[in-house]
Amino acid sequence: MSAWWMRARTGAHGPGWRPRRRLVAFPHAGGWPSAFRAWWPLLPADVELLVAQLPGRGARIGEESLTRVEPIVDALSRDLADQEPLPYAVIGHSFGSVLGYELTRVMEQKGLAPALLAVSARQPPCFPGEPPFAHLGSDARLLEHLTEIGGLSPQLTERADLVQPVLRAIRADLEAMGRYERPMSATGVPILALGAVDDPVVVAERLHLWSLETTGGFRRSMFTGGHFYLYDRANAAVVIRHLMADVPTARSEVSDRSLPSRPESVPVAPRSDSPERKHSEHHR
């Protein structure tokens, strides 16, 4: 397994276990793969969970974080394309929604598109970021903001040895998000937009505008639980059901031998419309 992905396993997965479906997950800004830990025991027995592990966090905490979306997605997509082909869905939370969206577009160009893209707690790309950018603020202000939205325990703020690596990773991700620009073409993959009605960061009414980023199907589902509602076990169980209902089971090994290992590449659909870009928000 590449350093860019962490494969989550549970006690139900024995030595001979072989997945027949896959879920690809992207945590929030500065998030470690362990952010999806509550999801592990909730997954169907035939589903493999791959969680993105960016430089500067998790097992890669000693590496320098990247500050642009493009090289991150390039590395993640190349490694994902090298994995055993399985039907899969993609989910990203907050900043992870941007990575999930861009990875979906790249994998679509490779002919390896997911069955579904789920974007959570993140405004659509038609709302570009504008100053003041959060990554340029002081440590004190950033820590205050993270604590207010439930992204950091107040007790942790007193541990400089733990806080500084977290802040470096968060700043890098926020800078990458600030530099990110809406692509010229949409994806043909269906999108499921997810959010919380009590999220203090994202304007819930804007989530439906993710429908402009796909020429495929679109639907929206709302929850409660603040900005990090997705990591709540009860909410996670519902979201997993939504996601995996759209992902077919892989064909049997015998049937797969008669199929090419990679489908032909398909063009990305052109964007059919472009919304006004006068609105923006700098919160992530």
Side-chain angles (χ1 to χ4, degrees):
M1 192 79 238
S2 162
W4 284 92
W5 296 103
M6 190 198 76
R7 178 179 285 118
R9 292 178 178 271
T10 69
H13 298 160
W17 174 75
R18 292 192 62 184
R20 297 178 66 79
R21 295 182 291 170
R22 178 176 290 140
L23 181 58
V24 174
F26 295 89
H28 56 282
W32 290 28
S34 57
F36 282 91
R37 188 175 186 86
W39 286 50
W40 300 0
L42 302 175
L43 294 168
D46 66 335
V47 174
E48 170 187 73
L49 175 63
L50 295 184
V51 186
Q53 182 168 246
L54 275 56
R57 64 216 76 187
R60 309 180 68 186
I61 195 168
E63 300 179 37
E64 184 176 354
S65 299
L66 300 177
T67 57
R68 293 193 70 89
V69 168
E70 294 80 7
I72 296 173
V73 171
D74 179 65
L76 288 165
S77 61
R78 282 189 282 107
D79 283 358
L80 184 60
D82 287 339
Q83 301 301 310
E84 178 186 2
L86 288 174
Y88 71 105
V90 173
I91 183 166
H93 183 65
S94 197
F95 170 63
S97 294
V98 173
L99 297 182
Y101 176 55
E102 285 301 319
L103 177 121
T104 294
R105 296 178 65 253
V106 171
M107 296 301 287
E108 188 175 18
Q109 293 172 15
K110 294 176 182 288
L112 298 169
L116 177 69
L117 165 65
V119 289
S120 168
R122 172 63 191 164
Q123 63 183 14
C126 58
F127 291 96
E130 290 185 356
F133 294 112
H135 71 278
L136 298 177
S138 67
D139 284 357
R141 179 65 192 99
L142 187 53
L143 286 172
E144 180 183 5
H145 176 67
L146 293 172
T147 303
E148 287 175 351
I149 67 174
L152 198 65
S153 168
Q155 293 77 16
L156 189 61
T157 61
E158 301 176 2
R159 293 285 306 276
D161 58 324
L162 299 178
V163 166
Q164 287 307 312
V166 171
L167 289 180
R168 285 195 295 270
I170 291 174
R171 287 187 187 280
D173 288 352
L174 293 180
E175 182 176 352
M177 192 152 49
R179 291 177 167 184
Y180 176 71
E181 296 182 357
R182 187 188 188 204
M184 296 299 294
S185 59
T187 179
V189 173
I191 289 181
L192 169 63
L194 304 167
V197 295
D198 54 347
D199 188 338
V201 178
V202 178
V203 180
E205 289 76 12
R206 292 179 176 177
L207 290 174
H208 77 277
L209 291 176
W210 274 103
S211 61
L212 300 176
E213 309 303 326
T214 179
T215 58
F218 175 82
R219 64 186 190 272
R220 185 180 70 161
S221 186
M222 301 301 294
F223 299 81
T224 58
H227 188 62
F228 295 98
Y229 78 94
L230 190 68
Y231 303 138
D232 173 79
R233 183 182 177 91
N235 289 337
V238 176
V239 173
I240 288 172
R241 287 197 296 271
H242 282 315
L243 291 172
M244 303 320 297
D246 286 348
V247 181
T249 301
R251 295 172 180 264
S252 67
E253 185 177 354
V254 174
S255 299
D256 284 345
R257 292 191 184 120
S258 63
L259 298 174
S261 59
R262 294 286 188 272
E264 295 181 0
S265 296
V266 295
V268 175
R271 189 180 300 285
S272 59
D273 53 2
S274 179
E276 294 180 0
R277 298 168 64 92
K278 62 182 178 181
H279 299 288
S280 66
E281 66 177 4
H282 66 272
H283 295 299
R284 306 299 186 232

